[in-house]
Amino acid sequence: IQIKYGDVWSAVYGLTSGQVQELHLYANESIIQVSGKHNSYVYQLAFVTNMGRQLIAGQPSGWSFNFYPEYPVAELRYVGGRFNSIGITSMGFHWGLVYPMSRAGEPQLSEGLASSTDTS
């Protein structure tokens, strides 16, 4: 998995195999649900947006998980996790609200409304 935050790409985490898939978010589109399959490793991830679009990558093997924000207007703000040379061992999804642009032109995250979950 590799995620782009603004204009900056993260490193690639997990194994690199198969066909590359990308989900480019439209204006005012955000990720509102992450689900997938895991066992000792994360085998599949599915990202769903507030516009009903989705990206599904990986193999449907293992136990299901489903994460979404506690507040209906929140969105995925940050992804964290652990990996080793074989694959991704755990992931956490952090949710929050984005307020309109500040005077400096940067979006402002809300305080105290973010929740996180972990597949480990």
Side-chain angles (χ1 to χ4, degrees):
I1 187 169
Q2 184 178 30
I3 299 175
K4 187 175 183 182
Y5 296 96
D7 293 329
V8 179
W9 282 98
S10 73
V12 175
Y13 299 101
L15 295 178
T16 55
S17 66
Q19 185 177 353
V20 172
Q21 297 184 55
E22 293 184 355
L23 177 64
H24 296 271
L25 298 178
Y26 299 135
N28 299 316
E29 185 175 27
S30 59
I31 296 171
I32 59 165
Q33 180 182 0
V34 181
S35 58
K37 299 278 189 171
H38 74 97
N39 194 341
S40 298
Y41 296 93
V42 176
Y43 288 104
Q44 183 181 56
L45 286 170
F47 295 90
V48 180
T49 77
N50 60 336
M51 294 183 178
R53 297 190 314 133
Q54 63 181 357
L55 175 136
I56 301 173
Q59 299 300 315
S61 176
W63 292 289
S64 296
F65 61 85
N66 186 32
F67 297 125
Y68 49 89
E70 181 177 352
Y71 300 97
V73 294
E75 62 191 47
L76 183 64
R77 299 303 303 156
Y78 179 80
V79 176
R82 293 183 210 112
F83 71 102
N84 61 28
S85 61
I86 298 172
I88 297 171
T89 58
S90 68
M91 295 185 79
F93 305 97
H94 306 268
W95 310 93
L97 302 175
V98 176
Y99 289 123
M101 295 292 184
S102 71
R103 287 184 228 164
E106 294 295 322
Q108 299 296 305
L109 293 177
S110 66
E111 295 294 329
L113 293 178
S115 62
S116 65
T117 52
D118 199 327
T119 62
S120 61

